[in-house]
Amino acid sequence: MTAPPAITVLAGHSWTAALQHPFFQHALLAGTAVAAAAGLTGWFLVLRAQVFTGDALSHVAFTGALAALAMGVDPRIGLYAATIAVALLLGALGRRGRADDVAIGSVFSWFLGLGAFFLTLYTTSRSAGNGGAGVSVLFGSIFGLSASQTLTAALVGLGICAAVVAVARPLLFASVDEAVAAARGVPVRLLGFAFLAIAGACAAEATQAVGALLVLGLLAAPAGAAQRLTTRPYSGLALSAGLAVAEMWTGLGLSYAIPRMPPSFAVLATATAVYAATYLPAVRRVRPAYRGA
Amino acid sequence: MTALSTLADTTPAWSWNLLDDLREMWSYPFMVNAFRAGTVVAVVAGVMGWFMVLRRQSFAGHTLAVVGFPGASGAVLVGVSAVYGYFAFCIAAALVIAAVPRAGRDGGVQESALTGTVQAFLLACGYLFTALYKGLLGGTTSLLFGSFLGITGGQVWVLVAVAAAVLALLAAIGRPLLFASVDPDVAAARGVPLRALSTAFLVLLGAAAAATSQITGTLLVFALLVMPAATAQSLTARPARGLALSVLLAVAATWLGLTVAYYSPYPIGFWVTTFAFGGYVLARAAATAAGRTATRSASRSATRAGGAV
């Protein structure tokens, strides 16, 4: 739909000029950290069939941010506190640190209602300039990050990546064959909780970039594409993170070139296009054929 | 949003004289329409939600519920009624999700990744549409979180027609659907067309979500779908009783929510979800307590039996 203007606008822009804008540098730095963290976490979410949990946590992020705004504190405190707390609660609701879909759905839809409450509280109790707060929490504002916010986001993103890599081996074992892993002494339940806490932190982290409603795409699309392209665990993990980062860069570039296109949409559209491409027969043929017969 | 805040400035007083309060509330035609629409929506959501919970399709249900948002904002952008947008997007998303084969080794894994991607992409489209359509900022919030103000009599009739169609079709496929949901393997062996039933169910769920979205907002449709049904299923396993209970709970939560939202400055979505969630927590607590006493008496009789041997 927006393709024809893209060509003309792109020609008028120079990419070195883009990189000199502080807002674009911030977005690129924070976006890279967010995408890498989401790619790694998302791969495990898809493997463990916990994408719905990611969906729930991203909605909880909205409520957390708005609760903090309504109380007048830094929204990031609310984001991380709410997502990590709810992640652990969801773990406690189910066996072995995995909650039932219906329980997850009931809990997070109530949290969303609570978010509507805080949104009303925030927009009516304070000055009238807050009308867009809910929308920017829901859909992100990556081009509005300050230098210190960027630094925090980058450091937290790195921390999440390090945490996923640190637990990757036992978590992989526990995800693929839970019973055998438990028999071999892997702390399956503890790992489940640790992974949920990581996923919570990741949802809060990614909310700052693409917004609470769109986090799910960053978690599911690169990971789903990587799962379709390779069945090897470590190359899949790396591919998922790599795809996420590449999609983030492409999206940010697209949105810079076409100012009417919001960055969150550009990132999500790129990620969806890549995922859709894995359904093409030509791409499918690349993957190893040993699953056939 | 402006309508909500003006209402908040003149929040009517609750007098504890129930009859007078209800009469006062229903003296406004918009409240009467809100109750009519809310009841229709709650009945459909209660029934469809019960099957959704039974089939463990919460994630697909949630996705169908939220894609009403891009539908409505896209319809507003091109200048047609939001109703068409809701139905077009919800039913299209249902067909996309149904198109992915569920069988196979990684069928479940791929289904959830695809569902998540479809949902996030369509929400991003919704954001693009609102960004392109300048001046929808207040409207965005009411699209997402719902508003019971300004429901017209015409909208109520559209809802009644959609609800009747959805429930009639569901009644037609109800028995095989129940069979296929409870035991897919045996149902397949008996020649029940699983794929066709699953697709039909998702399309009906999409239509129900589209109808509900117009009242509760796209983000809270899912609450009305999942919570009464989950409450009902934790209380009874019998289909007829469970369906009735689910509908009853959905209607009760909607009525309570509408009444309290009318007398308070806070949004309807918050109240409806809170009442529904309260019911769910109570039911789960009761089921857990009942389960614990049952296991305790069972283990006691087991030890007694063991001692006798």
Side-chain angles (χ1 to χ4, degrees):
Chain A
M1 185 168 66
T2 36
I7 299 153
T8 53
V9 179
L10 266 176
H13 273 282
S14 140
W15 292 109
T16 47
L19 292 173
Q20 277 161 5
H21 290 299
F23 84 88
F24 198 78
Q25 292 167 355
H26 293 160
L28 207 57
L29 185 61
T32 307
V34 164
L40 292 177
T41 313
W43 191 83
F44 274 110
L45 279 177
V46 171
L47 180 74
R48 294 166 65 83
Q50 285 186 316
V51 181
F52 191 49
T53 311
D55 186 14
L57 292 176
S58 65
H59 286 77
V60 169
F62 167 71
T63 303
L66 278 173
L69 281 172
M71 292 170 197
V73 296
D74 190 329
R76 284 178 292 172
I77 297 175
L79 269 179
Y80 286 104
T83 50
I84 296 177
V86 171
L88 295 178
L89 171 74
L90 291 181
L93 281 177
R95 282 180 325 110
R96 291 184 185 273
R98 285 192 199 203
D100 169 35
D101 267 10
V102 174
I104 296 175
S106 300
V107 169
F108 94 75
S109 46
W110 179 61
F111 262 84
L112 211 51
L114 213 56
F117 168 76
F118 284 122
L119 180 65
T120 310
L121 206 62
Y122 181 60
T123 48
T124 54
S125 70
R126 287 165 192 263
S127 59
N130 293 329
V135 174
S136 89
V137 173
L138 284 172
F139 295 108
S141 50
I142 194 167
F143 282 159
L145 292 177
S146 71
S148 68
Q149 285 171 329
T150 306
L151 188 67
T152 322
L155 289 178
V156 173
L158 274 181
I160 294 170
C161 291
V164 175
V165 171
V167 298
R169 234 187 111 78
L171 186 61
L172 185 66
F173 191 12
S175 308
V176 174
D177 198 332
E178 199 171 309
V180 175
R184 292 282 294 270
V186 176
V188 173
R189 199 177 148 76
L190 187 69
L191 270 175
F193 274 100
F195 177 66
L196 280 174
I198 293 173
C202 183
E205 164 85 0
T207 298
Q208 300 168 53
V210 294
L213 286 185
L214 309 182
V215 166
L216 181 64
L218 214 49
L219 289 171
Q227 297 266 4
R228 286 185 67 81
L229 291 176
T230 173
T231 46
R232 296 190 194 167
Y234 291 111
S235 23
L237 205 51
L239 184 62
S240 174
L243 279 177
V245 171
E247 288 159 3
M248 175 64 79
W249 288 351
T250 314
L252 290 177
L254 268 177
S255 164
Y256 180 81
I258 312 162
R260 288 192 75 184
M261 189 190 272
S264 334
F265 172 77
V267 172
L268 263 291
T270 317
T272 309
V274 170
Y275 181 67
T278 63
Y279 278 89
L280 296 178
V283 182
R284 292 276 287 182
R285 226 175 290 138
V286 176
R287 64 195 230 152
Y290 58 80
R291 287 186 54 209
Chain B
M1 208 59 230
T2 48
L4 250 185
S5 49
T6 48
L7 186 74
D9 294 338
T10 57
T11 302
W14 177 259
S15 66
W16 291 111
N17 181 346
L18 268 174
L19 216 61
D20 273 4
D21 284 332
L22 289 181
R23 198 175 296 144
E24 200 247 289
M25 185 166 70
W26 284 333
S27 68
Y28 294 98
F30 80 87
M31 278 314 284
V32 177
N33 276 342
F35 268 85
R36 285 182 185 146
T39 310
V40 174
V41 154
V43 170
V44 176
V47 173
M48 293 306 294
W50 189 83
F51 276 99
M52 182 189 83
V53 168
L54 184 73
R55 295 172 62 80
R56 305 274 138 190
Q57 285 190 314
S58 310
F59 193 24
H62 180 230
T63 299
L64 293 181
V66 296
V67 300
F69 168 64
S73 53
V76 171
L77 181 65
V78 300
V80 299
S81 166
V83 179
Y84 300 114
Y86 279 119
F87 284 104
F89 270 62
C90 289
I91 292 175
L95 291 174
V96 171
I97 294 172
V100 179
R102 293 184 83 183
R105 202 177 57 130
D106 59 359
V109 167
Q110 277 311 323
E111 193 195 13
S112 74
L114 178 103
T115 310
T117 308
V118 167
Q119 175 186 341
F121 176 66
L122 287 176
L123 280 172
C125 287
Y127 181 46
L128 178 73
F129 297 152
T130 56
L132 292 177
Y133 184 85
K134 304 258 186 286
L136 198 73
L137 214 58
T140 307
T141 314
S142 83
L143 280 184
L144 290 171
F145 292 108
S147 161
F148 59 93
L149 303 169
I151 298 166
T152 61
Q155 271 176 304
V156 176
W157 283 113
V158 172
L159 282 179
V160 170
V162 172
V166 166
L167 292 180
L169 286 172
L170 188 70
I173 63 167
R175 273 190 77 86
L177 184 67
L178 190 63
F179 188 17
S181 310
V182 173
D183 199 334
D185 293 335
V186 176
R190 294 282 294 270
V192 175
L194 292 187
R195 264 317 275 280
L197 273 178
S198 168
T199 307
F201 174 72
L202 280 173
V203 168
L204 287 181
L205 192 60
T212 316
S213 298
Q214 299 167 44
I215 312 301
T216 59
T218 50
L219 287 185
L220 299 170
V221 176
F222 182 63
L224 216 49
L225 282 173
V226 75
M227 290 205 258
T231 313
Q233 295 208 355
S234 68
L235 291 176
T236 174
R238 293 193 190 176
R241 210 178 273 183
L243 273 167
L245 194 58
S246 174
V247 168
L248 199 71
L249 287 166
V251 170
T254 309
W255 284 0
L256 272 173
L258 273 170
T259 311
V260 178
Y262 177 74
Y263 284 103
S264 82
Y266 301 114
I268 174 163
F270 167 65
W271 293 114
V272 171
T273 52
T274 300
F275 289 122
F277 187 68
Y280 175 69
V281 170
L282 285 179
R284 278 293 292 260
T288 313
R292 208 165 275 167
T293 43
T295 37
R296 200 176 299 144
S297 58
S299 64
R300 199 177 298 144
S301 54
T303 18
R304 222 173 277 150
V309 172

